[in-house]
Amino acid sequence: MFIAMKPHATAAEYEAVVEKIRALGLTPHPITGIERKVVAVIGHTSGLDPEDLFGSMPGVAEALRVSQPFKLVSREVKEEDTVVDVGGVPLGGKAIAVMAGPCSVESREQILEAAHAVKAAGATFLRGGAFKPRTSPYEFQGLREEGLKLLAEAREATGLKVVTEVKDTETLPMVAEYADVLQVGARNMQNYSLLERLGTVAKPVLLKRGLSATIKEWLMAAEYIVAKGNPRVALCERGIRTFETMTRNTLDINAVPVLKALTHLPVVVDPSHGIGLRQHVPAIARAGVAAGADALIIEVHPHPEKALSDGHQSLTPAEFGELMRQVRVIAGAVGRSVL
Ligand code: PEP
Ligand code: MN
């Protein structure tokens, strides 16, 4: 359930509500970043009547049950879009952010060349994996801390914010030291120990959709992070597994408007993993923006034919530049701009 205070409710009235929540053995969870004060009530509330308990308390505007199983991330509790602040750069809101870079950090030359190229084309975030969750244990696993250091160097050189994957709880403190946004990969979407730990970290999280996860399961995974205290979460649709084999995955374009209705969190589209074929990545990127995505994350490699991972789905810098021009046009057509 959640309790919304009246616009002019006093601090004492709000405190009385919080105290009552605690007295019931439940946990108050204030919702931040909105005009009216709202507090979500976490715990076993099934037998309780919100209106009965809180409706007549001074300063209370309404006390309602949240119909969805996800609470803190739901639009019911917070109507306004969340804008995740990434060190001064907004993720979410009217302006669409573009994240771009190679699948993996491979060398100093490669990541610096990629960073300068995507920056020149208009990206605001640099992506690149240093810890790679590969399907085969014999494939390139990433440069690990060396890769993180190279990402930090590329950030210094370009001013781009760094998005990189965190694979497990052991390496989380190290990755969090270098990253501006912590990416949770599709294979880890339901790694609840990792999600809980991410709830205690002061860095934004990009939560990718699991290979076969429903939208509800995905939102429940986001709820884990927010419930543990980190409200800075963005959701990334990266394609799901279907019967289709002509493409790597099937980008669930439906998820974009459905998420925008169900949750206040920013929605990111990853057309690269979503279709897995370089020649079709621009079409799916354009579709993502048209459908209402708040950001794109796109694999770009200065020399895709030499890439150690995902070269077949990586755009060249020239292709990325052309896509950025198209994205600006489509963003304008749907009342958005590009950051
Ligand atoms: C990636 O972004 O390179 C990646 C491994 O993505 P996903 O977790 O979506 O497969
Ligand atoms: Mn990849």
Side-chain angles (χ1 to χ4, degrees):
M1 78 176 72
F2 74 99
I3 296 139
M5 304 300 291
K6 288 180 181 156
H8 301 295
T10 65
E13 288 168 342
Y14 176 72
E15 273 315 308
V17 169
V18 166
E19 271 317 304
K20 181 153 182 179
I21 296 169
R22 290 211 179 94
L24 288 163
L26 303 166
T27 308
H29 195 114
I31 307 295
T32 52
I34 47 179
E35 303 256 309
R36 64 175 189 171
K37 249 195 155 99
V38 173
V39 57
V41 184
I42 305 298
H44 296 290
T45 59
S46 46
L48 307 174
D49 180 340
E51 190 51 38
D52 225 38
L53 284 167
F54 298 96
S56 57
M57 288 183 77
V60 170
E62 53 180 353
L64 295 170
R65 191 164 289 293
V66 185
S67 62
Q68 299 288 359
F70 42 88
K71 313 288 181 194
L72 302 172
V73 306
S74 83
R75 275 257 189 234
E76 288 175 73
V77 169
K78 182 174 181 250
E79 279 176 21
E80 297 93 328
D81 282 336
T82 285
V83 179
V84 173
D85 173 42
V86 185
V89 176
L91 173 52
K94 192 169 185 291
I96 293 167
V98 180
M99 310 171 168
C103 180
S104 305
V105 181
E106 299 167 3
S107 68
R108 188 167 181 274
E109 295 64 38
Q110 176 246 18
I111 195 65
L112 286 174
E113 193 178 345
H116 284 293
V118 301
K119 162 97 181 182
T124 38
F125 291 79
L126 173 67
R127 63 145 292 146
F131 289 88
K132 295 303 299 177
R134 306 306 300 281
T135 301
S136 162
Y138 308 118
E139 285 172 336
F140 179 57
Q141 302 288 313
L143 295 180
R144 301 169 193 229
E145 188 163 15
E146 181 53 27
L148 296 173
K149 287 185 174 152
L150 294 174
L151 283 167
E153 189 179 337
R155 168 176 49 213
E156 283 297 305
T158 58
L160 293 167
K161 299 293 176 192
V162 165
V163 185
T164 195
E165 179 159 354
V166 57
K167 233 172 65 168
D168 47 49
T169 50
E170 289 90 326
T171 53
L172 172 55
M174 183 206 289
V175 180
E177 228 179 89
Y178 296 94
D180 296 302
V181 178
L182 295 161
Q183 176 177 324
V184 177
R187 292 156 191 80
N188 258 327
M189 190 206 83
Q190 286 177 310
N191 179 340
Y192 296 113
S193 336
L194 181 59
L195 299 178
E196 286 187 340
R197 283 283 299 281
L198 286 164
T200 67
V201 170
K203 285 280 162 88
V205 177
L206 180 72
L207 179 64
K208 290 192 128 193
R209 183 179 188 174
L211 275 73
S212 299
T214 64
I215 290 173
K216 193 186 277 181
E217 288 163 343
W218 187 12
L219 288 168
M220 294 307 288
E223 185 83 9
Y224 263 87
I225 305 171
V226 180
K228 283 285 173 191
N230 184 356
R232 293 196 290 166
V233 178
L235 300 162
C236 178
E237 165 61 42
R238 48 76 73 202
I240 51 173
R241 195 158 270 189
T242 67
F243 51 79
E244 186 52 70
T245 57
M246 284 294 182
T247 53
R248 179 175 178 180
N249 291 297
T250 297
L251 188 114
D252 181 12
I253 200 77
N254 294 354
V256 179
V258 169
L259 285 172
K260 292 301 293 178
L262 291 173
T263 178
H264 52 82
L265 298 178
V267 176
V268 183
V269 161
D270 174 350
S272 309
H273 295 85
I275 192 158
L277 300 164
R278 177 186 311 134
Q279 60 176 318
H280 298 311
V281 165
I284 303 309
R286 296 192 299 260
V289 173
D294 299 302
L296 294 171
I297 182 164
I298 298 171
E299 288 185 338
V300 177
H301 195 291
H303 310 284
E305 68 291 350
K306 293 193 199 145
L308 297 182
S309 63
D310 287 351
H312 52 277
Q313 66 188 35
S314 300
L315 299 184
T316 63
E319 288 166 337
F320 177 64
E322 174 53 25
L323 174 59
M324 283 299 291
R325 278 185 281 282
Q326 298 170 354
V327 161
R328 285 195 190 95
V329 175
I330 293 177
V334 292
R336 310 285 292 265
S337 56
V338 176
L339 203 59

